């Protein structure tokens, strides 16, 4: 009985403390063990009993739970999507990766104009209002930076290795619709896309992409496109390397030859064995396991291995998972709908027996292309392989204690 009384008094003390918190979120300091120190202190959000008082009233803009803190990792030139923290193939707009050459310009949508000229019968300028008057199209596709590859150490997250890819639902007008309006010369074979940022980024694009699936996008995930993604309008080239999807698009010039601009000659040109590769537009098929991955830990028993796969050449048709360092491969389940030139979620149920091993994935797209190993890439391209269009199979080491580490490979 005495023990029961003490228990009741303890509970009363806890309730009293919650009351003193006044209904607001509070931060408590708790001691936890760490691999890096015997003891560290971390802030932990505590909340009062939500059934005892009304919550906040409806607001103008929604927010994430304070317990969910996915963030991009910015550097001087880019910031990376936290792919390991996402639950589907759509990237929230504020977590879409960024890569730009001279910062984000501030553009008044009421002053915005897109000039299209060159080998056309009717050169024209379009306001944002003009663009929105044309029939619109919505499609889901990924964008990936051509230099989306990092390696070198074991304690790397998915975000750090390949966080320069994201996926959104884009809305805009097909470029072919505008080109028909202007009556493009049938002899035209290229067009120049120019951005309105301080770098005035320019890229030469083959005309067949314009007639195929190129868009002028002005909306992203149901809202106006974000400034970091090209507000008020950007070029969208599904499946092609990110820099060709020119943001803050202000001019298109149509020609019968490529322009060999500053970016495509100084940055996006690289050796492949004894040749020089310049116009390498399509992103190669790639996949990665996002769970389990560093710094997550697993327990012995059933584990659902999850990840992302995609191809710039079309649909993903197969993802295979190996749980024994590549000795055997098993087909994973693809989560539908499987869209063309889009991130595809895959899942594979695995029973881990507690032994140390390596897990990895590889994708095959509808052209028959299968994601290579790093050795296969070097054999095909040479040792001076650079950092563009790197899409090797990525392995995670699962240790006996359940920790998961990236397996870096030298190249």
């Amino acid at each position: 009985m005495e023990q029961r009384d003490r228990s009741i008094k303890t509970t009363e003390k806890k309730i009293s403390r919650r009351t003193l918190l006044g209904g607001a979120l509070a931060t408590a300091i708790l001691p936890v063990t760490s691999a890096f120190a015997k003891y560290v202190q971390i802030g932990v959000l505590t909340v009062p009993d939500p059934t005892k008082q009304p919550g906040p009233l409806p607001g103008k803009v929604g927010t994430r739970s304070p317990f969910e803190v996915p963030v991009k990792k910015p550097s001087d030139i880019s910031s990376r999507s936290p792919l390991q923290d996402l639950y589907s193939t759509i990237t929230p707009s504020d977590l879409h990766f960024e890569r730009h050459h001279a910062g984000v310009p501030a553009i008044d949508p009421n002053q915005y104009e897109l000039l299209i000229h060159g080998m056309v019968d009717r050169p024209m300028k379009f306001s944002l209002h003009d663009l929105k008057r044309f029939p619109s199209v919505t499609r889901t596709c990924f964008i990936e930076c051509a230099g989306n590859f990092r390696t070198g150490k074991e304690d790397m997250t998915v975000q750090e290795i390949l966080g320069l890819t994201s996926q959104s639902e884009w809305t805009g007008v097909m470029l072919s619709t505008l080109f028909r309006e202007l009556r493009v010369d049938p002899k035209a074979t290229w067009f120049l896309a120019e951005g309105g940022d301080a770098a005035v980024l320019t890229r030469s694009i083959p005309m067949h992409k314009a007639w195929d699936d190129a868009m002028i996008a002005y909306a992203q995930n149901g809202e106006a496109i974000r400034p970091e993604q090209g507000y008020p309008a950007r070029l969208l080239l599904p499946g092609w390397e990110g820099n060709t999807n020119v943001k803050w698009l202000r001019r298109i010039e149509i020609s019968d030859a490529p322009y060999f601009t500053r970016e495509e000659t100084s940055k996006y040109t690289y050796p492949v064995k004894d040749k020089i590769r310049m116009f390498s537009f399509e992103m190669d098929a790639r996949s990665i396991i996002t769970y389990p991955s560093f710094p997550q830990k697993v327990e012995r028993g059933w584990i659902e291995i999850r990840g992302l796969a995609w191809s710039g050449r079309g649909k993903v048709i197969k993802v295979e998972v190996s749980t024994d360092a590549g000795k055997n491969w098993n087909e994973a389940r693809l989560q539908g709908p499987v869209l063309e030139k889009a991130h595809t979620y895959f899942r594979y149920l695995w029973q881990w027996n507690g032994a140390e091993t390596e897990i990895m994935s590889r994708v095959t797209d509808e052209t028959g292309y299968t994601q290579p190993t790093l050795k296969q890439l070097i054999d095909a391209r040479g040792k001076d392989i650079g950092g563009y269009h790197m899409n090797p199979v990525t392995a995670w080491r699962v240790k006996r204690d359940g920790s998961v580490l990236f397996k870096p490979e030298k190249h």
Side-chain angles (χ1 to χ4, degrees), residues 36 45 99 101 105 110 148 161 164 201 230-231 286 356 366:
F36 307 103
L45 290 172
R99 174 71 175 97
H101 295 246
N110 297 313
N148 189 23
I161 298 165
L164 295 179
L201 178 73
Y231 182 84
R286 191 173 190 180
E356 187 165 320
E366 63 181 338

Side-chain angles (χ1 to χ4, degrees), residues 12 24 31 54 73 90 96-97 140 148 151 165 285 305 370 396 405:
E12 287 174 344
K73 288 194 172 182
I90 294 294
H96 195 291
F97 86 88
T140 299
N148 189 23
T151 186
T165 182
I305 295 175
T370 297
W396 301 100
L405 298 171

Side-chain angles (χ1 to χ4, degrees), residues 257-273:
Y259 289 79
F260 299 103
T261 67
R262 178 187 60 202
E263 281 74 21
E264 55 204 24
T265 55
S266 67
K267 291 186 175 63
Y268 303 112
T269 297
Y270 49 95
V272 176
K273 283 198 169 177

Side-chain angles (χ1 to χ4, degrees), residues 49-324:
D49 184 347
T51 67
K52 304 304 181 187
Q53 60 184 346
L57 297 175
K60 290 183 178 179
V61 179
T63 59
R64 287 192 179 90
S65 162
F67 298 96
E68 302 291 334
V69 286
V71 293
K72 294 190 285 189
K73 288 194 172 182
S75 66
D76 291 342
I77 59 172
S78 66
S79 58
R80 296 166 169 263
S81 289
L83 300 175
Q84 71 281 354
D85 297 329
L86 306 181
Y87 294 96
S88 76
T89 58
I90 294 294
T91 309
S93 297
D94 60 349
L95 296 178
H96 195 291
F97 86 88
E98 292 179 51
R99 174 71 175 97
H100 27 86
H101 295 246
V104 179
I107 299 176
D108 181 347
N110 297 313
Q111 303 297 319
Y112 173 78
E113 287 183 332
L114 170 61
L115 168 65
I116 304 181
H117 66 124
M119 295 177 66
V120 297
D121 286 351
R122 301 168 51 197
M124 293 181 69
K125 284 183 177 179
F126 299 93
S127 68
L128 187 61
H129 176 72
D130 294 334
L131 293 177
K132 291 180 178 178
R133 291 182 62 195
F134 285 97
S136 61
V137 173
T138 295
R139 72 167 296 171
T140 299
C141 65
F142 74 87
I143 296 178
E144 182 178 16
C145 175
N148 189 23
F149 177 69
R150 276 183 177 174
T151 186
K153 54 184 182 178
E154 290 184 317
D155 56 345
M156 294 181 72
T157 65
V158 175
Q159 182 173 19
E160 292 166 327
I161 298 165
L162 85 169
L164 295 179
T165 182
S166 303
Q167 177 153 286
S168 292
E169 182 190 75
W170 305 96
T171 299
V173 54
M174 299 301 291
L175 192 53
S176 57
T177 301
L178 301 182
F179 280 7
R180 280 193 289 270
E181 183 78 8
L182 275 60
R183 293 200 291 271
V184 171
D185 187 330
K187 295 180 181 176
T189 52
W190 291 79
F191 71 88
L192 180 78
E194 181 181 274
D197 57 335
V200 194
L201 178 73
T202 48
R203 287 303 313 259
S204 301
I205 309 296
M207 281 295 290
H208 70 79
K209 187 65 172 173
W211 298 118
D212 182 12
D213 58 0
M215 290 174 59
I216 307 296
Y218 47 74
Q220 174 186 14
N221 295 336
E223 63 178 2
I225 201 168
R226 297 274 174 132
E228 297 86 354
Q229 300 309 320
Y231 182 84
R234 73 178 299 169
L235 183 62
L236 182 70
L237 305 178
W240 284 23
E241 59 184 43
N243 66 83
T244 63
N245 292 251
V246 176
K247 296 188 280 191
W248 315 291
L249 185 67
R250 70 172 186 177
R251 187 170 73 92
I252 289 177
E253 182 177 351
I254 297 171
S255 177
D256 57 0
Y259 289 79
F260 299 103
T261 67
R262 178 187 60 202
E263 281 74 21
E264 55 204 24
T265 55
S266 67
K267 291 186 175 63
Y268 303 112
T269 297
Y270 49 95
V272 176
K273 283 198 169 177
D274 57 345
K275 296 181 179 178
I276 298 296
R277 189 182 191 191
M278 177 173 284
F279 296 112
S280 52
F281 297 118
E282 292 174 323
M283 296 307 296
D284 302 309
R286 191 173 190 180
S287 72
I288 190 167
I289 291 170
T290 56
Y291 180 84
S293 61
F294 178 81
Q296 299 151 355
K297 292 195 72 171
V298 293
E299 297 177 0
R300 185 180 303 198
W302 289 104
I303 298 171
E304 185 183 65
I305 295 175
R306 301 187 289 268
L308 291 170
W310 61 94
S311 172
R313 298 190 178 91
K315 290 183 178 179
V316 168
I317 62 166
K318 182 173 66 175
V319 176
E320 296 166 287
V321 171
S322 174
T323 57
D324 56 5

